[in-house]
Amino acid sequence: MNKLLSGAALVFALGMVLALASGDPQRINARVNAFFGWQPTAPQAERLVDEEEAGALRALVAEIRRQDVAAEIERFASMGSRVTGYPGERRAYEYISDRFAQLGLEDVRSEAFEVAVPMDKGGRLYLPGGIVKDLHSLWPNGVRTPSLPAGGVEGPLVYGGKGTLEEVDGKVLDGAIVLLDFDGGQNYLNLATLGARAVVFFDNGGVNREQAADKFLKVSVDVPRFWIERQDALELVAALRESSVPVRVEAQMDWEAVEARNIYGWLPGSEAMMPPKSREGDQAWKEQVIVVQAYYDAMSVVPARAPGAENAAGIVALLKLVEALREQRPHYSVLFLATSGHFQGLEGINDFLYRHSRGSEYFRERMADAERIDFDLMLSLDLSSHGQRSASFGMGTFYNPEWQTDNYVKYMLTPYSKRLSQAVEEIFVDSTRHYEGIAPPKRTWKNYMPIPLAFASEAAAFVGQKALALATAKIGRAHV
């Protein structure tokens, strides 16, 4: 009998193989199900957010008014330059510290670290008749700042347009100070090779991210470059169409070690115990920690002129999230972390991780127990006000300048990213509001990131922690 059943099973298996090789698999599958009386049920997608809770979250988000967000971004932009070490950055820190306290976050702490920054000590353009115009130094070439010798430099002021050789043909550039449109790419290097002593740029309507990146080099080339305000420059352009004007330029920019600060505070989670077997051992919900991070400093090719309206989108979103979660308290504990030094090699987030959270046992053993902050997931906000769609990323381009895909990070973080995307879709009933950007179908994460972006989450992943970046998708951030 056993041999008969074995033989029948073998025949059935061979028949299935032959059928699959020569027939329509879906039709055959249906016939087999019908033969055995099987009635497979269609899989039902399990909701992550029940409809009642989704409705409450939608109502909570609807209370966030566009004009309030715009006003908050304007507040940060009006603080002055927020390059780390400049006055506006310190004002931003003080404002965030006050807001954390007002919003009721617990155990709010501030931690200082040191970072090297080029500090603009001011510049002047001296014109005939005692007229003086303010100048600001551009970001250094490598480590070489635009500082001039004591007493400055003198020479004829010449308008060079966009700096093309055709535009300066016939003009004496050797020893000259050249006034240039900002959108001339790297044409200013041609003028330096022809003997120009300094270059002064102004906003001719062509200021953008790409043009700004062309105005400083990774090598320490001594080409003094400065910024003059648009109205001052237009007055000079009108005068220089007739002839050059003798001027003197003075400017100082020094590298300094400045103090920057991170600040963080807690929104404690629920005291209730988690469901049995959901963790190893009994744990309360509040023992699970999510870190929500955003930077509050800014960046500009002209450090003294970095209001950082676009750079403020992330920190404003973080503050609005604190307001919202006070009303709709999560089960998990949430640590809200505002960092500085983002544009100095992610120095702020690295300082936080160095002090509090490393995956390696070697480093963990060297942390005091009171300093250790173990978190389940970090969400880094890196947003722009020029887009309405966000995406979750596991990789950026700071530790990954070649834009390679790290499959370990991809497979580790994709489940988190997919669940986040599902939750957003369930809450807002909109599948295009947030993209799953780590392993999107028929695409790669690069399709949602048209420009290089350095994410704080990269630093967390580098030290062995789980971290996602939530960034505005498909936006070139032309004016950052």
Side-chain angles (χ1 to χ4, degrees), residues 174-439:
D174 190 20
I177 315 299
V178 185
L179 180 66
L180 285 181
D181 301 346
F182 193 79
D183 61 351
Q186 292 190 337
N187 290 337
Y188 67 96
L189 295 175
N190 296 331
L191 310 187
T193 61
L194 294 173
R197 304 188 73 178
V199 177
V200 180
F201 292 103
F202 75 97
D203 179 7
N204 67 315
V207 176
N208 58 44
R209 179 192 184 102
E210 182 180 0
Q211 289 294 333
D214 282 337
K215 301 306 181 289
F216 58 98
L217 307 174
K218 295 181 180 179
V219 293
S220 301
V221 177
D222 184 13
V223 181
R225 293 146 298 115
F226 306 101
W227 175 268
I228 188 170
E229 295 302 329
R230 175 180 172 84
Q231 188 56 46
D232 290 339
L234 293 177
E235 293 173 4
L236 292 173
V237 169
L240 293 173
R241 293 195 185 280
E242 300 298 327
S243 64
S244 62
V245 175
V247 298
R248 178 166 57 91
V249 177
E250 294 180 356
Q252 186 73 27
M253 172 181 270
D254 297 326
W255 284 98
E256 293 184 2
V258 301
E259 180 185 270
R261 286 186 169 272
N262 294 332
I263 182 168
Y264 60 88
W266 291 87
L267 189 67
S270 169
E271 297 278 356
M273 301 303 292
M274 299 185 71
K277 299 182 180 181
S278 59
R279 291 290 189 275
E280 292 184 9
D282 296 334
Q283 294 186 33
W285 278 107
K286 71 175 184 178
E287 296 177 63
Q288 320 307 310
V289 177
I290 292 178
V291 176
V292 179
Q293 178 273 340
Y295 58 85
Y296 65 86
D297 57 320
M299 179 58 174
S300 169
V301 67
V302 186
R305 287 290 184 266
E310 274 295 271
N311 294 141
I315 188 63
V316 169
L318 182 143
L319 293 173
K320 290 298 179 184
L321 190 57
V322 178
E323 294 178 12
L325 292 184
R326 282 194 315 165
E327 305 300 323
Q328 188 82 9
R329 295 290 286 261
H331 292 307
Y332 276 51
S333 293
V334 182
L335 176 67
F336 291 97
L337 169 63
T339 61
S340 188
H342 181 82
F343 297 97
Q344 285 71 50
L346 303 181
E347 190 64 33
I349 187 62
N350 276 310
D351 184 80
F352 174 83
L353 294 167
Y354 178 82
R355 294 172 188 259
H356 301 295
S357 191
R358 298 261 179 157
S360 166
E361 287 300 322
Y362 175 86
F363 289 104
R364 287 176 61 80
E365 291 171 359
R366 285 158 176 77
M367 292 179 190
D369 289 344
E371 293 297 312
R372 191 178 298 166
I373 299 176
D374 292 321
F375 57 84
D376 296 83
L377 181 67
M378 176 181 286
L379 299 175
S380 293
L381 308 181
D382 200 316
L383 303 173
S384 165
S385 63
H386 289 278
Q388 298 183 341
R389 304 286 184 264
S390 60
S392 45
F393 295 97
M395 288 153 281
T397 60
F398 184 80
Y399 291 102
N400 179 30
E402 302 300 323
W403 296 66
Q404 300 296 314
T405 297
D406 185 328
N407 285 324
Y408 173 77
V409 172
K410 174 181 176 180
Y411 295 132
M412 177 177 66
L413 295 177
T414 295
Y416 294 91
S417 180
K418 286 189 173 181
R419 287 174 69 84
L420 175 62
S421 300
Q422 181 183 339
V424 172
E425 182 175 351
E426 290 175 357
I427 293 169
F428 297 102
V429 197
D430 183 354
S431 62
T432 65
R433 191 184 188 103
H434 179 81
Y435 299 113
E436 196 291 286
I438 297 180

